[in-house]
Amino acid sequence: MLEVKNLTFKVNENGVERSIVKDISFSMENGEMLVITGPNGGGKSTLAKVLMGIEKADAGQILLDGADISDFDIDHRAKAGIGFAFQQPPRFKGMTVDRLLGLAAGEHLPEQEACRMLSAVGLCAKEYLKREIDGTLSGGEMKRLEIATVLAKPHKLCIFDEPEAGIDLWSFSMLIQQFERIHRKKDQMLMLISHQERIIRMADRIMVIDDGKIKHIGPREEILPALLTDEPSCTCMDREQ
Ligand SMILES: Nc1ncnc2c1ncn2[C@@H]1O[C@H](COP(=O)(O)OP(=O)(O)OP(=O)(O)O)[C@@H](O)[C@H]1O
Ligand SMILES: [Mg+2]
């Protein structure tokens, strides 16, 4: 279970303090899929980074299965069971794909296993194993590789920030299957940040974040109709044609 209490994150811009995450509280049950959506710049990625320890909260508390991880750095949070896929994955010059997957899995992976992980996100495995994670990989290749590193082992909480961004329709369908597989097992919490209707429709609960605050949170059946009928000024969701 994840419990987030009064989480606040501020930045200092030219001497002026600005709150990006404003006193956010919510919880997640084991096995739950929570989809976070909301307008661009609302604070979704920042909230996710604060949960992963990439950004340090100014106030608030984070409990994972009852343990207070608020003061843990990113490595400790990863060890405590949080996996994170960036909206814009970092590149690691000099690091090969198979080595990164091994690090993510916590052990050296036999070639067959690394290939299986790449295939699960639609990458033609053998072609990629010895590739460097540098500027030669396309945005969509980076994105799927990043997701593969989180899928490389089970976590208590998996956070995927806009997993659909920049990937082709075929790979998108494969990703949906991966999320459904994890969701069915009911042993990991899945937090997906997304603007995609197909992903939003998979949620047990939906959270809408706007201006650093939770605007809505509730079961999918309750929140989705409101999202679908929201006026066009609400740019939080890409609707399917
Ligand atoms: N370190 C920082 N310094 C200054 N401003 C920041 C910082 N981090 C985030 N912001 C600002 O905080 C706001 C929220 O950013 P964030 O990336 O969390 O939004 P988002 O909801 O993920 O948006 P999107 O849907 O476009 O991905 C934006 O206005 C962003 O410019
Ligand atoms: Mg974002």
Side-chain angles (χ1 to χ4, degrees):
M1 185 184 183
L2 174 74
E3 294 164 273
V4 175
K5 299 179 184 174
N6 308 104
L7 210 61
T8 298
F9 174 74
K10 299 174 186 168
V11 292
N12 194 303
E13 287 175 323
N14 308 321
V16 181
E17 202 170 70
R18 179 176 161 217
S19 293
I20 309 286
V21 174
K22 301 174 181 170
D23 198 27
I24 282 189
S25 301
F26 67 97
S27 60
M28 281 180 76
E29 296 295 333
N30 288 344
E32 186 180 22
M33 182 187 290
L34 177 73
V35 176
I36 304 179
T37 192
N40 294 133
K44 303 177 296 298
S45 295
T46 308
L47 170 65
K49 286 181 194 162
V50 172
L51 292 176
M52 187 66 231
I54 298 161
E55 300 280 17
K56 193 169 163 23
D58 290 283
Q61 217 183 5
I62 304 165
L63 304 175
L64 188 63
D65 285 347
D68 191 338
I69 60 164
S70 314
D71 291 330
F72 284 18
D73 63 16
I74 181 166
D75 284 350
H76 281 98
R77 289 193 201 192
K79 283 197 189 101
I82 306 183
F84 184 89
F86 281 91
Q87 183 170 354
Q88 280 154 345
R91 295 177 189 264
F92 305 101
K93 208 170 159 17
M95 170 84 78
T96 55
V97 168
D98 59 350
R99 196 159 152 248
L100 181 74
L101 285 174
L103 284 173
E107 60 190 2
H108 175 72
L109 294 172
E111 188 178 280
Q112 205 183 357
E113 187 56 17
C115 284
R116 193 193 56 76
M117 284 176 189
L118 291 177
S119 306
V121 292
L123 290 172
C124 286
K126 284 226 164 156
E127 285 174 24
Y128 283 94
L129 284 177
K130 293 294 168 203
R131 288 281 299 269
E132 253 191 56
I133 304 165
D134 57 12
T136 62
L137 288 171
S138 78
E141 287 167 338
M142 279 300 303
K143 194 74 190 167
R144 287 179 286 160
L145 195 51
E146 169 86 350
I147 290 166
T149 63
V150 178
L151 298 175
K153 68 172 185 192
H155 297 86
K156 287 183 180 168
L157 168 66
C158 295
I159 305 173
F160 295 94
D161 193 350
E162 298 200 23
E164 74 274 15
I167 66 159
D168 59 76
L169 280 178
W170 184 72
S171 304
F172 180 63
S173 292
M174 295 192 81
L175 281 189
I176 295 275
Q177 284 171 27
Q178 295 299 324
F179 295 142
E180 282 174 343
R181 179 182 57 79
I182 296 175
H183 193 202
R184 262 197 311 274
K185 282 198 188 160
K186 293 275 171 222
D187 56 358
Q188 301 184 50
M189 293 178 275
L190 270 177
M191 181 182 287
L192 302 183
I193 297 173
S194 181
H195 299 283
Q196 238 291 330
E197 185 174 345
R198 190 153 163 215
I199 289 187
I200 295 172
R201 283 188 181 280
M202 292 163 66
D204 295 311
R205 284 190 304 151
I206 298 170
M207 181 196 280
V208 181
I209 292 189
D210 190 1
D211 189 26
K213 291 179 287 217
I214 298 178
K215 192 175 166 199
H216 305 290
I217 184 166
R220 179 191 57 218
E221 313 78 65
E222 203 178 284
I223 307 292
L224 190 60
L227 283 179
L228 290 168
T229 55
D230 221 341
E231 58 268 32
S233 63
C234 175
T235 54
C236 62
M237 189 161 111
D238 295 333
R239 291 172 196 177
E240 285 175 327
Q241 302 300 311

